[in-house]
Amino acid sequence: MPLYKRVIDVRVGGRLFSNNLRITFDIVKTGQSICNSASINIYNMADNSRNEIKELDDDIEVRAGYEEHGGTKLVFIGNILRVNHSYSLPDVVTKIEAGD
């Protein structure tokens, strides 16, 4: 059965960034005592939103899923380790590195 209508929510320090933006992520989970990690890219945020994501150690949550299967489910929760804004026209990409 094919799935459609992907949904994603990213919360940074209580602020919600949702499906209105293009968001990609790569989450690495291990079964060992090594820290799980996440790399999250958020594309073309407004300046004021981009400036809000600069505090290291802010909490970050990634929830993803499919609309017709109950919506978003928690896939990662952790703290921001690094934030980088890159300007590769026409996109402005905010890359967030996080660990749990």
Side-chain angles (χ1 to χ4, degrees):
M1 175 174 159
L3 299 173
Y4 301 101
K5 296 184 182 178
R6 288 184 221 170
V7 289
I8 183 169
D9 292 331
V10 174
R11 289 183 189 274
V12 176
R15 176 135 158 79
L16 176 67
F17 301 93
S18 66
N19 242 9
N20 301 345
L21 298 168
R22 179 176 167 215
I23 301 171
T24 61
F25 62 88
D26 182 33
I27 296 173
V28 177
K29 294 192 176 205
T30 65
Q32 303 168 358
S33 61
I34 300 170
C35 202
N36 297 325
S37 63
S39 176
I40 302 128
N41 295 314
I42 305 175
Y43 294 79
N44 301 318
M45 285 193 295
D47 286 340
N48 59 345
S49 296
R50 206 171 34 248
N51 291 333
E52 288 182 25
I53 303 179
K54 61 183 174 188
E55 297 298 321
L56 301 182
D57 289 332
D58 261 355
D59 293 337
I60 186 164
E61 267 185 34
V62 178
R63 295 176 175 270
Y66 293 92
E67 193 174 283
E68 65 267 16
H69 285 284
T72 61
K73 307 286 189 233
L74 182 65
V75 292
F76 181 82
I77 188 167
N79 294 350
I80 294 176
L81 302 174
R82 205 168 310 135
V83 178
N84 182 28
H85 306 287
S86 65
Y87 301 87
S88 51
L89 297 176
D91 294 321
V92 178
V93 182
T94 300
K95 183 173 186 172
I96 302 169
E97 300 288 332
D100 66 355

